[in-house]
Amino acid sequence: MAHYLHRSFSNDQTLFVLHGLRLENHSQPEHDGSPGVCQIDHLLVHRFGFFIIECKSVTGEIEVRSDGSDGDEWARIYRNKKTGIPSPIRQARRQADILRTLLQSYREELLGRHSFGFRTMAKVVHGTDQRGFKNAPIQILIAISDQGNIKRLGGWEAPSSPFRVYVSKADLIPDKVVKEVQKHNKGSKAVNKKIYGEYGLWSMEESEAPLVAAFLAEQHLSRPHRTMSAGRRPAGAVCKYCGSEYLIFQKRAKKNYSDYWKCQKCQKNTPISSR
């Protein structure tokens, strides 16, 4: 995915790409009280918002279906064995929540105030004329390995409101990004906003987008945050499924079972003995 993004946007002065971005937010703690942490595979910053790209390495087949209540259920099929996996769309939405809250807490440093003509209205509606990130579009794209196959069961379609979620092969993702940015550009200039819905309603100044991207790069945790419990330390352990170092100690509820590490990226379990 990084290769495709570099090839498509390395010379684009309006779109900024951050890879493997790990963010921490103390205002959104985990269940054990540690700071909320998210790892975004790829984050794209542009004048009209953000794109979160969640990657899934698949050499077999991915199935996705509706759960019957506006949700989505995912399964991975490899060598004729089907295994359920967490919804990458929900994962990306949790990442978006942490990203938005973090940016909003630094809005005064990152964004200026509303233009003079809108300041009074902004104060009446929001109580302040300071611009913020509450309404910033954070769009989600799920990238599947080029070798994988996506099977949408029962006519499943990705969410489309207020912005479309894309689930596609990695090589097609840059085209989806370009298409969405064009919608925002057209929406920002349109007289009849109803045609474009929420596209183009929120934006940054051209000079603000690179500053926001640089700010997020500075917020990146250079070393993964590791939660420790009962005096136990990872001691170099990594998830045997995805290689992540962000592990949380878990104690087995039943006797005759070993304690294990819970991976906070793929949500799978790794025995304590694994290194």
Side-chain angles (χ1 to χ4, degrees):
M1 191 68 257
H3 164 72
Y4 291 133
L5 293 173
H6 176 77
R7 187 174 65 182
S8 298
F9 303 119
S10 60
N11 295 321
D12 191 331
Q13 301 300 312
T14 65
L15 195 146
F16 308 90
V17 184
L18 300 173
H19 304 291
L21 182 65
R22 183 179 287 270
L23 300 175
E24 179 180 271
N25 193 345
H26 292 266
S27 67
Q28 292 175 289
E30 301 288 352
H31 67 281
D32 60 357
S34 63
V37 176
C38 74
Q39 177 153 331
I40 301 174
D41 291 336
H42 308 279
L43 178 69
L44 280 60
V45 182
H46 61 106
R47 274 195 65 197
F48 301 100
F50 307 83
F51 293 98
I52 286 178
I53 301 176
E54 175 71 17
C55 295
K56 292 299 174 187
S57 179
V58 179
T59 55
E61 187 172 77
I62 280 283
E63 285 186 356
V64 56
R65 70 175 76 210
S66 169
D67 70 348
S69 59
D70 297 325
D72 48 286
E73 296 180 348
W74 295 66
R76 184 197 306 265
I77 301 174
Y78 182 67
R79 293 182 178 177
N80 297 320
K81 182 179 179 181
K82 181 185 293 189
T83 305
I85 62 173
S87 165
I89 294 177
R90 295 176 195 173
Q91 287 180 331
R93 283 176 174 164
R94 288 192 290 270
Q95 295 166 6
D97 288 341
I98 289 181
L99 173 64
R100 188 185 304 279
T101 301
L102 175 64
L103 289 170
Q104 184 66 7
S105 66
Y106 285 92
R107 63 188 183 279
E108 293 186 13
E109 292 88 343
L110 297 171
L111 300 179
R113 299 184 181 278
H114 287 282
S115 60
F116 184 78
F118 290 95
R119 287 184 181 178
T120 301
M121 182 183 299
K123 286 184 177 180
V124 171
V125 176
H126 304 293
T128 177
D129 59 0
Q130 173 66 50
R131 290 162 54 229
F133 295 89
K134 285 186 177 180
N135 299 313
I138 303 180
Q139 297 177 248
I140 296 171
L141 301 97
I142 309 301
I144 307 299
S145 305
D146 295 341
Q147 298 83 4
N149 181 48
I150 306 168
K151 190 173 183 180
R152 299 169 173 84
L153 302 179
W156 179 84
E157 294 184 0
S160 59
S161 178
F163 306 103
R164 184 173 178 180
V165 173
Y166 288 94
V167 178
S168 76
K169 298 290 189 68
D171 64 327
L172 300 178
I173 290 293
D175 292 338
K176 312 298 186 186
V177 169
V178 171
K179 180 178 179 180
E180 290 297 294
V181 172
Q182 288 175 345
K183 287 183 180 179
H184 283 289
N185 273 312
K186 292 179 180 178
S188 67
K189 301 172 184 176
V191 176
N192 186 357
K193 298 293 184 180
K194 293 182 179 180
I195 297 177
Y196 295 94
E198 295 190 26
Y199 283 92
L201 292 183
W202 184 94
S203 67
M204 292 184 277
E205 300 294 334
E206 289 184 5
S207 60
E208 291 172 337
L211 294 178
V212 169
F215 164 79
L216 290 172
E218 291 176 355
Q219 298 300 307
H220 171 68
L221 299 178
S222 58
R223 298 186 63 182
H225 176 87
R226 293 175 179 175
T227 300
M228 299 162 220
S229 177
R232 308 294 291 272
R233 296 181 62 85
V238 297
C239 175
K240 69 177 183 179
Y241 296 95
C242 70
S244 171
E245 294 180 285
Y246 184 45
L247 306 173
I248 290 182
F249 172 78
Q250 298 287 319
K251 191 173 184 63
R252 290 287 187 185
K254 297 181 180 179
K255 295 182 178 180
N256 302 323
Y257 284 85
S258 301
D259 299 336
Y260 62 97
W261 299 115
K262 181 76 170 182
C263 178
Q264 296 302 286
K265 180 168 176 59
C266 71
Q267 300 299 310
K268 292 186 178 180
N269 302 334
T270 296
I272 290 294
S273 59
S274 293
R275 292 292 183 268

